[in-house]
Amino acid sequence: MSTSRRGAFIVIEGLDRSGKSTQADVMLDRLNASGISAKLMKFPDRTTAIGQMINAYLQSKADLDDHVIHLLFAANRWELASTITQTLESGTHVLCDRYSFSGIAFSASKSALKHKEAIPTPSSSDIPYTNPNLSYIWCRDPERGLPAPDLTLFLDISPEAASARGGYGEERYEKAEMQARVREVFGQIGNEMLSHNQNEDRSEPTKDGAQPRWVVIDAGNDKTTVSKDMWAHVEPLIAGVDSPIGRLWYSDDN
Ligand code: FDM
Ligand code: MG
């Protein structure tokens, strides 16, 4: 790889039990087996002091206000943002299991969604909202300016198919109703990102600074098919990236 090229920042997103962690491991092995330098990161990173607070919340050992836990998840990314940037600049690819999109989707799912018409799955609209203050925009704001992924692979699976994979665990958000709502917000994020996919020149930030590459992968398929589908989007990036690292939802004028 030429020294002027940086690593690619690849995020894997999706509901619980969509296969993110499995697929991230498969991809890391594949890259490393080809002698390509790649680092796997995961959010929440439960090893830091902030991560331990998040862990206690998720395991219901601590109760926190919905705004507070949202900001802790975002802070957990900000405390590792320089590690991401430095790793990419050293020429190593970063694979990331969950990122800002989970941060928005899980918190905003506690609130009513403003743009209902943009949401593809109205299935859980009868579920009461627990916190009307966590608007989509409020949830997105603390993520603004974080290193932007070059590619986000959204592993899409219905909550029904996900729970058929052995059920959810014991953690706070691992409930079918919440997962259905989270999928709706992921749909809204996907629409927002896909609307930028028209912009072919990815070296230029889009109007609101979002990096547009968002790809939906059918995660209901078998493991090998999913890996293959994901790889088709990753392969063009493994020679490295020429453009500077973008910033999420960021532009100079706001
Ligand atoms: N989660 C994850 C959030 O609510 N916000 C975030 O910013 C992130 C990264 O934490 F339910 C939720 C998603 C999931 C829980 O994640 C723990 P893992 O991937 O299961 O550890
Ligand atoms: Mg989990």
Side-chain angles (χ1 to χ4, degrees):
M1 187 191 292
S2 128
T3 49
S4 64
R5 290 201 152 178
R6 64 170 175 87
F9 183 17
I10 299 160
V11 166
I12 304 175
E13 279 286 8
L15 297 184
D16 284 290
R17 309 206 63 85
S18 59
K20 289 181 305 303
S21 305
T22 306
Q23 292 296 340
D25 286 342
V26 169
M27 195 177 291
L28 184 71
D29 288 349
R30 184 163 185 170
L31 289 165
N32 289 341
S34 321
I36 297 161
S37 170
K39 177 185 167 84
L40 179 59
M41 296 181 72
K42 163 161 183 54
F43 290 106
D45 181 331
R46 305 189 194 212
T47 64
T48 69
I50 292 169
Q52 284 165 31
M53 294 168 78
I54 295 172
N55 186 50
Y57 173 83
L58 289 171
Q59 296 188 351
S60 301
K61 290 175 183 152
D63 279 323
L64 293 170
D65 174 82
D66 289 325
H67 301 84
V68 173
I69 184 62
H70 180 74
L71 295 172
L72 287 177
F73 274 115
N76 187 225
R77 280 181 279 283
W78 279 108
E79 67 179 335
L80 289 154
S82 60
T83 305
I84 295 174
T85 305
Q86 284 159 20
T87 306
L88 295 173
E89 281 169 352
S90 76
T92 297
H93 300 306
V94 174
L95 298 183
C96 195
D97 181 348
R98 293 196 195 276
Y99 196 54
S100 300
F101 313 104
S102 277
I104 299 167
F106 280 82
S107 293
S109 78
K110 297 172 179 178
S111 159
L113 293 170
K114 211 171 173 186
H115 307 292
K116 272 280 177 199
E117 69 283 1
I119 301 157
T121 49
S123 54
S124 62
S125 50
D126 52 338
I127 299 165
Y129 299 106
T130 55
N131 192 333
N133 297 322
L134 297 161
S135 75
Y136 181 87
I137 297 296
W138 190 91
C139 292
R140 201 182 63 180
D141 238 31
E143 311 292 334
R144 279 184 46 198
L146 279 168
D150 298 296
L151 172 68
T152 302
L153 298 162
F154 177 64
L155 303 196
D156 192 33
I157 191 164
S158 68
E160 297 76 28
S163 61
R165 290 184 168 177
Y168 296 115
E170 296 295 307
E171 289 204 329
R172 204 182 270 263
Y173 294 157
E174 295 180 313
K175 297 182 183 70
E177 304 78 29
M178 174 107 180
Q179 299 287 321
R181 182 83 59 64
V182 168
R183 191 180 188 219
E184 291 180 356
V185 191
F186 270 130
Q188 183 176 353
I189 297 170
N191 287 344
E192 186 190 357
M193 302 298 277
L194 287 168
S195 73
H196 295 297
N197 271 13
Q198 317 299 349
N199 183 348
E200 285 305 311
D201 182 359
R202 304 196 190 280
S203 63
E204 291 296 323
T206 50
K207 197 159 50 70
D208 62 3
Q211 297 296 305
R213 189 82 63 89
W214 175 275
V215 172
V216 179
I217 302 284
D218 183 353
N221 286 326
D222 62 274
K223 182 178 156 185
T224 315
T225 306
V226 175
S227 304
K228 203 166 140 268
D229 290 350
M230 291 170 70
W231 187 253
H233 297 281
V234 169
E235 200 168 20
L237 292 172
I238 60 180
V241 179
D242 288 321
S243 56
I245 301 164
R247 293 180 185 213
L248 276 176
W249 297 295
Y250 179 88
S251 63
D252 287 331
D253 57 358
N254 61 14

